[in-house]
Amino acid sequence: MTATRDSYEAKDITVLEGLEAVRRRPSMYIGTTGPRGLHHLIWEVVDNSVDEAMAGFCSKIDLTLRADGGVEVSDDGRGIPIEKLSKTKRSALTTVLTTLHAGGKFEQGAYTVSGGLHGVGVSVVNALSSRLEAEIRRGGNVYFQEFRDGKPKTKEPKKIRPAKKTGTTIRFWPSTETFTESVTFDYDTIASRLRETAFLNRGLRITLTDERDGEPREVAFLYKGGLVDFVKHLNSKRDPLHAHVIDIADIGGEAELEVALQWTTSYTESVLSFANNINTHEGGTHEEGFRKALTKSINEFARSKGLLKEKDSNLTGEDVREGLTAVLSVRVKEPQFEGQTKTKLGNTEIRSFVEKSLNRRLPEWLEKYSTEARRIVEKCISAAKAREAARSARELTRRKSGLESGGLPDKLADCSSRDPAESEVFIVEGKSAAGPAKSARDSAIQAILPIRGKILNVEKARLAKALQNAEVQDIITAMGTGIGEDFDVSKARYHKVVILTDADVDGAHIRTLLMTLLFRHMRGLIEAGMVYIAQPPLYRVKVGSKVHYLKDEAELTAFKQDHPKVKPTRFKGLGEMNPGELWDTTMNPETRTLLRVEMDDAARAEEVFEVLMGDDVPSRKAFIQRNADDVRFLDV
Ligand code: 0RA
């Protein structure tokens, strides 16, 4: 390793060791090797093209889900450089595809990524693909290079034919050695993510083609209105309170900002925020600045027009945001992502940038559209009145449930552990299931909260009304976190909240009602990854004296291939299972499978809940038909 010629080879070895490390511990780089990690590969590749678009050099991105299981992402940008880098003595293309974190800056300083959550680099995609092909159109030629398990088949890209245009095409086939669970991509997940990306990048055309079965399915996303179109889309199933979507953009020294907002007659708040195209679920400084300026501007406008009198107290942030749909997007030179899932923007300078900017621009809009603004203020005032009512109701809840003296719902069969980290609560639907669940549980760490019938649909009710509902009260009390602005995840009494409902239509409905309650009022539980859906089996089959439990139709079909003669019994409800069966299949931490509810795509979650729980019946029917026998849509 002393001669210079050798150190050149040594570099290549280091490179391969880097990718080997990715293959050995993939979850360090992509979080999980489940479906979420699998889809991460796509986001990684697409984000690189989006960066090229953000830099102003790319106007379209085409994604194809190929019949052979591969993914193709093609753009019309400048093409990844194939020129040699003096540092690696390799082409830039080979370097980015084989070097960890080469997604960062090259010596020329031309190659910068938005960083943050993604930006682990396309080399990670290469490492985790059994095969990857790069086709670069640049300088009048097409260059091609192919990789197997991250290793280049030829040392450098080869010129293969002339090209008129420029651009980059990456094709990859995820490795089944890494993605042992599944290598099947989900169309809806990809479509909604690409749509979101198109909203955030006004004018960028993104297409998705699915060639996997039968006739290719194709959609194109292109939004000239950007965030305004995003807000209109989010509100398409709601009643807007005013016609114009407020649209504000500003550029400062360190950042750019755009925000679009529109109030609706609904009671829910849907504020989505992004930093450098990354959905900041956990909020951060940009959201703080936005909320502060919004509350201040609305209060000042209300006072200046005499809608709030001197004696009236100020509208709170929650009052002002009731029924608000807003999308806030900032672009920051060096974003700092914090929080549990690295989706909270930390840059302190952004708080005052957003706040100052909106303190100037919001009042201008309110004055200009003062008729619409008055209607908004009236809505906020009625929210304030409802809040007062809610406060009384909540105090009632506290007293009735004896929360102050540590009392819990009568129906709750609590666990004996007082350590939330090891404690679980099963929210169980139906009278008949609660009995077996109680007998089956490990009472040291498992609590059972039975709920009866349909709980209130909180999507359609104000908080005050929701709190009058006994089932809702019990759930809130049992969780221990409080709700809304009082919510505090550190007070959670259980770090696993497991929804256990029958595998039928009613069960699905109740599960959705519960999810809506958690999503709207205790979202922090979902964000902290504490909410799960139990997966009781649908079938029991006996082969000789041995009993097998099968989760769903797919498992049954597979089982029948080996045992064509079996006669399965279908569980109609949880109540049909005896405690032993319920324990083995659904509750035993050693053997069960739980689906964790994830907040991957907040916009999609908004849409799902709005459609499932709102007033638009035809949309709901269509949605349920499309997702029949598929609980994945709950995996939001
Ligand atoms: C750095 C420099 C240049 C292009 C790119 C990066 C680039 C990267 C990707 C990744 C996917 N698509 C992409 N398109 C472009 C070009 C620099 C120059 O030509 O001067």
Side-chain angles (χ1 to χ4, degrees):
M1 294 266 193
T2 44
T4 43
R5 220 155 18 111
D6 281 346
S7 71
Y8 172 81
E9 295 299 327
K11 254 179 196 147
D12 289 347
I13 292 163
T14 322
V15 159
L16 291 177
E17 278 171 354
L19 294 196
E20 193 46 45
V22 178
R23 266 199 301 278
R24 263 201 311 272
R25 307 187 59 188
S27 36
M28 286 224 346
Y29 300 87
I30 55 166
T32 75
T33 55
R36 192 176 184 173
L38 177 74
H39 288 80
H40 198 116
L41 301 185
I42 295 193
W43 316 148
E44 193 57 52
V45 175
V46 170
D47 283 355
N48 285 314
S49 296
V50 172
D51 286 338
E52 183 70 358
M54 265 160 62
F57 298 104
C58 160
S59 67
K60 77 185 180 70
I61 301 171
D62 300 306
L63 194 150
T64 305
L65 299 170
R66 298 162 52 102
D68 65 6
V71 179
E72 178 180 296
V73 179
S74 198
D75 70 45
D76 65 350
R78 292 167 293 177
I80 300 177
I82 34 75
E83 293 77 17
K84 236 184 200 145
L85 301 176
S86 54
K87 203 166 146 208
T88 63
K89 304 203 169 63
R90 289 272 179 272
S91 69
L93 177 70
T94 314
T95 307
V96 277
L97 284 166
T98 55
T99 318
L100 268 183
H101 300 298
K105 289 186 179 95
F106 276 157
E107 53 204 303
Q108 288 90 343
Y111 195 97
T112 53
V113 283
S114 54
L117 186 65
H118 312 294
V120 289
V122 68
S123 63
V124 168
V125 178
N126 193 18
L128 303 179
S129 297
S130 53
R131 173 171 160 212
L132 184 142
E133 296 174 0
E135 218 176 272
I136 309 301
R137 297 168 293 283
R138 194 173 158 85
N141 292 298
V142 181
Y143 299 84
F144 180 81
Q145 193 172 19
E146 187 176 347
F147 301 79
R148 295 293 162 110
D149 293 315
K151 295 178 210 52
K153 278 185 82 178
T154 54
K155 228 169 187 183
E156 288 300 330
K158 289 222 153 42
K159 200 188 281 188
I160 54 169
R161 59 173 178 269
K164 286 213 184 72
K165 297 183 177 158
T166 63
T168 300
T169 300
I170 303 284
R171 278 176 224 109
F172 66 94
W173 290 261
S175 167
T176 49
E177 278 171 41
T178 299
F179 301 98
T180 47
E181 201 179 315
S182 161
V183 285
T184 308
F185 291 101
D186 181 57
Y187 181 88
D188 286 337
T189 300
I190 296 165
S192 84
R193 171 68 172 249
L194 294 182
R195 178 196 284 125
E196 185 173 292
T197 304
F199 280 133
L200 292 169
N201 295 278
R202 183 196 313 270
L204 174 62
R205 182 184 155 84
I206 305 181
T207 67
L208 169 62
T209 308
D210 188 351
E211 299 179 341
R212 290 172 302 177
D213 32 35
E215 269 295 289
R217 174 150 66 137
E218 190 175 337
V219 274
F221 303 113
L222 166 62
Y223 300 104
K224 296 219 169 80
L227 297 192
V228 170
D229 286 346
F230 200 165
V231 165
K232 285 183 181 163
H233 170 77
L234 290 167
N235 281 348
S236 64
K237 306 272 170 359
R238 298 174 177 147
D239 283 331
L241 201 64
H242 53 104
H244 293 91
V245 176
I246 306 174
D247 182 25
I248 292 170
D250 200 4
I251 300 181
E254 291 300 299
E256 283 177 45
L257 133 87
E258 190 183 348
V259 60
L261 41 158
Q262 186 181 41
W263 277 262
T264 70
T265 59
S266 94
Y267 304 129
T268 54
E269 168 191 338
S270 311
V271 175
L272 301 181
S273 69
F274 297 84
N276 296 13
N277 282 338
I278 290 163
N279 191 331
T280 35
H281 299 295
E282 298 174 280
T285 50
H286 54 339
E287 268 196 35
E288 287 162 22
F290 164 74
R291 286 200 296 261
K292 215 159 159 213
L294 185 69
T295 309
K296 179 175 148 96
S297 304
I298 296 280
N299 272 298
E300 282 180 358
F301 179 84
R303 293 213 182 268
S304 77
K305 297 289 180 269
L307 299 167
L308 270 187
K309 303 281 186 293
E310 224 167 297
K311 64 172 173 42
D312 296 328
S313 44
N314 264 349
L315 300 162
T316 68
E318 275 194 355
D319 300 338
V320 164
R321 295 191 303 274
E322 187 187 275
L324 171 68
T325 301
V327 182
L328 167 66
S329 167
V330 295
R331 303 227 149 112
V332 182
K333 282 216 185 90
E334 285 183 32
Q336 292 151 15
F337 290 99
E338 304 171 347
Q340 281 197 323
T341 53
K342 293 273 176 279
T343 58
K344 180 174 183 178
L345 186 68
N347 304 54
T348 48
E349 74 281 6
I350 300 302
R351 187 187 300 111
S352 62
F353 165 64
V354 174
E355 187 181 340
K356 277 196 192 129
S357 176
L358 295 184
N359 274 340
R360 222 173 338 108
R361 306 290 304 283
L362 275 168
E364 287 169 13
W365 190 94
L366 295 169
E367 282 301 334
K368 184 167 172 204
Y369 297 98
S370 66
T371 318
E372 294 185 39
R374 277 170 189 272
R375 207 168 319 137
I376 293 165
V377 171
E378 279 160 18
K379 159 96 177 167
C380 302
I381 291 172
S382 103
K385 289 187 180 142
R387 171 173 51 83
E388 281 304 318
R391 198 164 55 85
S392 327
R394 209 178 312 179
E395 272 162 15
L396 197 72
T397 314
R398 287 211 186 97
R399 270 202 308 281
K400 263 216 314 232
S401 62
L403 192 62
E404 276 137 3
S405 57
L408 290 163
D410 293 340
K411 288 189 287 181
L412 177 74
D414 209 3
C415 53
S416 50
S417 169
R418 286 287 158 267
D419 177 9
E422 64 169 11
S423 302
E424 317 182 331
V425 61
F426 285 78
I427 304 179
V428 184
E429 163 221 1
K431 278 176 283 210
S432 48
K438 271 187 211 165
S439 329
R441 70 185 176 134
D442 173 357
S443 65
I445 57 158
Q446 294 181 324
I448 308 292
L449 180 64
I451 50 157
R452 198 160 321 137
K454 303 264 160 93
I455 69 163
L456 186 86
N457 180 358
V458 297
E459 190 75 24
K460 285 192 192 165
R462 267 202 173 117
L463 198 52
K465 182 143 172 265
L467 287 171
Q468 287 165 13
N469 183 270
E471 310 295 323
V472 171
Q473 277 179 17
D474 283 351
I475 294 164
I476 294 167
T477 317
M479 295 307 119
T481 55
I483 56 171
E485 277 187 357
D486 298 339
F487 180 88
D488 180 355
V489 77
S490 73
K491 297 212 174 101
R493 301 185 59 251
Y494 313 94
H495 284 187
K496 284 203 172 76
V497 177
V498 186
I499 298 175
L500 176 55
T501 58
D502 283 340
D504 59 9
V505 177
D506 275 353
H509 190 202
I510 289 164
R511 183 172 59 219
T512 316
L513 287 164
L514 284 167
M515 293 276 297
T516 311
L517 173 67
L518 297 174
F519 181 73
R520 290 297 177 205
H521 299 301
M522 290 175 265
R523 190 172 303 184
L525 282 177
I526 301 180
E527 282 166 350
M530 295 181 184
V531 181
Y532 298 81
I533 293 168
Q535 293 200 282
L538 213 49
Y539 297 99
R540 170 178 42 204
V541 290
K542 257 182 131 168
V543 181
S545 60
K546 203 167 161 16
V547 182
H548 300 259
Y549 299 96
L550 305 170
K551 197 175 71 194
D552 51 24
E553 221 63 56
E555 280 194 3
L556 179 64
T557 312
F559 193 83
K560 275 185 170 163
Q561 303 215 303
D562 297 334
H563 308 87
K565 286 213 172 57
V566 295
K567 286 217 163 54
T569 23
R570 191 186 158 113
F571 291 112
K572 291 209 191 63
L574 293 165
E576 289 185 357
M577 260 182 260
N578 62 42
E581 287 176 323
L582 195 58
W583 170 255
D584 288 341
T585 61
T586 313
M587 295 178 74
N588 180 355
E590 305 285 323
T591 52
R592 69 187 179 195
T593 45
L594 295 178
L595 273 184
R596 175 185 263 161
V597 178
E598 284 173 346
M599 277 281 296
D600 241 357
D601 186 341
R604 177 135 171 264
E606 290 286 350
E607 198 178 336
V608 168
F609 284 114
E610 185 62 40
V611 169
L612 278 175
M613 311 315 288
D615 292 316
D616 185 341
V617 178
S619 295
R620 171 158 60 232
K621 278 206 174 133
F623 185 89
I624 290 171
Q625 269 160 13
R626 263 196 300 129
N627 292 284
D629 290 326
D630 184 359
V631 292
R632 266 175 313 164
F633 67 84
L634 281 167
D635 203 357
V636 279

